[in-house]
Amino acid sequence: RKGIDHPFGEVMNEMGDRLSDAALLGPLAFAVPAPLALTALVATLVSSTAGLLGRALLGERISGGPMGKADRVAAISLAALAAGLWASPIPFEIALWVVLGGAVVTVAARLVAIRRRLEADSHVRF
């Protein structure tokens, strides 16, 4: 919304999103193997960074891919429900594998989208 949004608001939004990823995934390191939880967290941060690179290079944030923020929250929320019903951390472990795999695919999709846009804009193949 032109004239209403402020660039620093975008900074604060992105920082809040990264903090919420850390708050959502980080504590799971106490319920499942810590390397899995931390690797999933790093993968989501790299995925977000890829989207932000689109903003820096193309002027718009690249949001494609199968594991966006809403998808991560949905996966962990469903895992929390299942973990509560079965009194087991295994649903969290499964959800983290889904988040990790989805984040890796999302990184690839975003980087491909950025590359294609850069090639189209510059008419140069990279």
Side-chain angles (χ1 to χ4, degrees), residues 76-110:
I76 299 304
S77 297
L78 288 173
L81 178 63
L85 290 173
W86 291 306
S88 169
I90 292 173
F92 284 123
E93 206 167 330
I94 294 167
L96 284 170
W97 280 110
V98 170
V99 168
L100 175 58
V104 169
V105 173
T106 297
V107 169
R110 290 178 181 184

Side-chain angles (χ1 to χ4, degrees), residues 25-70:
L25 300 176
L28 293 177
F30 296 103
V32 302
L36 173 60
L38 298 177
T39 303
L41 175 57
V42 168
T44 64
L45 296 176
V46 172
S47 173
S48 297
T49 300
L52 291 173
L53 286 172
R55 175 82 166 143
L57 295 169
L58 303 168
E60 69 179 76
R61 193 179 197 296
I62 302 299
S63 303
M67 191 55 62
K69 182 178 179 190

